[in-house]
Amino acid sequence: MKADNYIKIEFPSRSVNEGFARAAASAFAAQLDPTLEELGDIRTAVSEAVTNCIVHAYPESIGKISLRLRIIDGCTLEISVKDTGRGIADVAKAREPLFTTGGEERSGMGFTIMESFMDRLTVRSKPGRGTTVLMRRALSRRGESRDD
């Protein structure tokens, strides 16, 4: 699929960059004139994906996170969050609600939250090589219904 527009940003896996990633995704999506609810959903999904990289991919070190956003077919936002960290041994297990490898302070709801706010969620991972989370969300321009 050819993108109508795109951005790619790389940043270190520092917790202070999670807010930057949310803001960047929201600002990029704004060109589609989404509703405030849609923008909130996008920010939340990006926040969860980036936080997963920070907490799980690089638990003992600082690594690189890549955020790519594309607009496809004029109204679909595609978000990719990629790390080159330790990877996920069992993606199906990791996607189960309440499953976490991050200790008692983690809820284990990251993938569930992303999935609930996006139309599509794909997770690809290789242990020792990293993880890519790909999300898509069709946005309705104001005054248009998504069902049209």
Side-chain angles (χ1 to χ4, degrees):
M1 268 183 261
K2 188 171 187 294
D4 299 331
N5 197 9
Y6 70 93
I7 63 167
K8 182 176 179 181
I9 303 168
E10 290 183 357
F11 50 91
S13 62
R14 298 184 190 283
S15 60
V16 296
N17 289 330
E18 177 270 333
F20 169 74
R22 287 176 2 135
S26 181
F28 183 79
Q31 66 191 287
L32 293 173
D33 196 25
T35 66
L36 289 176
E37 181 180 350
E38 289 170 328
L39 279 176
D41 292 351
I42 292 162
R43 283 193 297 266
T44 300
V46 168
S47 177
E48 292 293 334
V50 170
T51 298
N52 275 356
C53 295
I54 294 166
V55 171
H56 301 290
Y58 308 111
E60 309 274 326
S61 63
I62 300 296
K64 180 175 69 173
I65 299 172
S66 297
L67 172 66
R68 187 187 74 195
L69 294 106
R70 300 188 322 152
I71 295 173
I72 302 167
D73 297 331
C75 67
T76 298
L77 181 66
E78 181 182 81
I79 304 163
S80 171
V81 178
K82 181 179 181 179
D83 67 68
T84 55
R86 63 185 201 182
I88 303 170
D90 186 344
V91 171
K93 182 76 172 165
R95 290 185 66 167
E96 291 178 9
L98 306 178
F99 177 82
T100 185
T101 60
E104 291 180 19
E105 70 278 358
R106 313 300 326 165
S107 71
M109 294 298 291
F111 287 130
T112 302
I113 291 168
M114 287 180 247
E115 195 165 32
S116 71
F117 288 133
M118 294 289 127
D119 296 330
R120 183 173 165 197
L121 173 69
T122 305
V123 181
R124 290 184 298 254
S125 190
K126 292 193 181 204
R129 305 227 17 219
T131 302
T132 301
V133 173
L134 185 67
M135 302 176 277
R136 285 197 181 155
R137 172 81 182 254
L139 301 174
S140 56
R141 296 195 185 260
R142 290 184 207 197
E144 295 178 12
S145 169
R146 287 177 66 179
D147 299 328
D148 287 346

